[in-house]
Amino acid sequence: MNNIPSSSRTQTLTFPAQFESLLRIGEFVTRAARSAGLDSTAVYAVEMAVDEACTNIIEHAYGGEGRGEIECTCQMNSHALKVTLRDFGSSFDPSSVPEPNITASLEEREAGGLGLFLMRKLMDEVSFEFTPDSGNVLTMVKRKETIS
Amino acid sequence: MLEVVTNQFKRCDLVKASGRVDSHTAPQLADTFEAINEAGRFKIVFDMSGVEYISSAGLRVMINVQKTCKRWNRGELVLAGVPEHIHGTLDLTGFVPLFKIFDDDAEAVGSF
């Protein structure tokens, strides 16, 4: 599982869908983001977006830990990193997830619901695809900062 | 991996976390704060200088602890030594106005 040729520009690893995997998933995407040439702020953004996405998959798609797997693919090219996460849990309608109110007072602030919000804020593209045969596929892209 | 160390002072408690706070380790952090609250102590400094990474699972813990501490004006959770990238996350999620943020432990402990 760890024998990935360093020259490969596409890498895929499959992880058990449990919270304990988040550290290794984070290490995997961080390595890919660095090798794609993203700066440290972008690398941190990718790690966080992927962590939030995987937490959502475990909690919502699978409805708990240890009920399936998460397949994580990193594709690097000269201008971006594309991360694809696939699971075989329940699908959901991203448009049905309410936007968190991040200006609410402490009393009215919801403790949860930040995952999808953070993914969209941290990544340049976030898209979902749900198919009965090939599972739920989440694709996120982080582009390199271009110096203009 | 997450390491959490606590220190009880006369006027407040100090919680220093080092490492990663994600959905796997956030319960450990929540348990630490809960134990302090259960002992009837609600003035807490959270030293984040050793935190390398915090996800929304960790932010959820912080908001819940702040709600518990501030209830009936009995205390407050304040932050110290927040690394720049974590401050970025707090800013993005609108957490900055909800917490007093101090440069270091000494300043934060002295605020109580």
Side-chain angles (χ1 to χ4, degrees):
Chain A
M1 167 160 133
N2 291 317
N3 298 326
I4 298 164
S6 58
S7 59
S8 168
R9 301 300 285 165
T10 299
Q11 302 177 341
T12 300
L13 285 183
T14 301
F15 301 89
Q18 53 202 40
F19 295 135
E20 204 176 358
S21 300
L22 293 173
L23 173 63
R24 283 191 301 131
I25 296 171
E27 287 169 350
F28 176 53
V29 296
T30 296
R31 219 160 37 231
R34 284 201 188 110
S35 107
L38 298 183
D39 65 32
S40 63
T41 305
V43 170
Y44 190 82
V46 169
E47 179 180 12
M48 184 159 204
V50 171
D51 180 305
E52 297 294 341
C54 291
T55 292
N56 280 351
I57 289 170
I58 296 166
E59 285 181 347
H60 303 299
Y62 286 122
E65 291 189 272
R67 297 183 187 174
E69 291 181 325
I70 301 171
E71 183 194 278
C72 179
T73 300
C74 295
Q75 272 179 280
M76 294 144 269
N77 63 31
S78 57
H79 59 275
L81 168 73
K82 180 159 96 175
V83 182
T84 308
L85 298 170
R86 185 193 300 271
D87 70 81
F88 292 91
S90 315
S91 60
F92 78 108
D93 175 9
S95 67
S96 71
V97 180
E99 184 104 335
N101 181 356
I102 60 159
T103 58
S105 65
L106 178 69
E107 296 74 29
E108 288 163 359
R109 190 72 65 109
E110 297 282 341
L114 287 170
L116 189 56
F117 169 82
L118 279 166
M119 287 154 57
R120 287 184 169 137
K121 283 277 181 195
L122 295 167
M123 302 297 278
D124 294 305
E125 287 174 34
V126 176
S127 64
F128 293 90
E129 204 181 313
F130 305 100
T131 55
D133 296 333
S134 50
N136 307 320
V137 179
L138 163 62
T139 305
M140 298 190 283
V141 175
K142 187 74 178 172
R143 286 189 282 272
K144 273 191 225 175
E145 288 283 326
T146 47
I147 300 159
S148 51
Chain B
M1 295 299 105
L2 178 70
E3 194 191 350
V4 186
V5 179
T6 62
N7 235 315
Q8 188 175 321
F9 294 101
K10 201 174 170 190
R11 300 179 67 88
C12 66
D13 285 71
L14 175 68
V15 174
K16 183 172 167 56
S18 305
R20 261 177 78 87
V21 187
D22 60 18
S23 298
H24 181 53
T25 57
Q28 185 189 340
L29 185 64
D31 289 348
T32 304
F33 285 118
E34 203 175 305
I36 294 169
N37 289 160
E38 277 173 4
R41 303 176 63 87
F42 301 96
K43 292 175 180 165
I44 306 174
V45 174
F46 182 24
D47 180 344
M48 302 184 80
S49 58
V51 178
E52 291 155 17
Y53 171 81
I54 188 162
S55 75
S56 70
L59 300 182
R60 197 179 309 167
V61 172
M62 288 167 60
I63 208 93
N64 286 332
V65 173
Q66 183 67 301
K67 283 182 178 177
T68 303
C69 288
K70 280 201 159 181
R71 198 169 296 150
W72 305 305
N73 271 333
R74 60 191 172 183
E76 183 171 3
L77 175 70
V78 304
L79 312 180
V82 180
E84 200 182 327
H85 54 289
I86 289 173
H87 193 280
T89 304
L90 299 181
D91 196 30
L92 197 60
T93 50
F95 270 47
V96 172
L98 305 179
F99 297 89
K100 283 184 193 148
I101 301 177
F102 296 94
D103 287 345
D104 56 43
D105 282 1
E107 205 186 313
V109 170
S111 76
F112 284 112

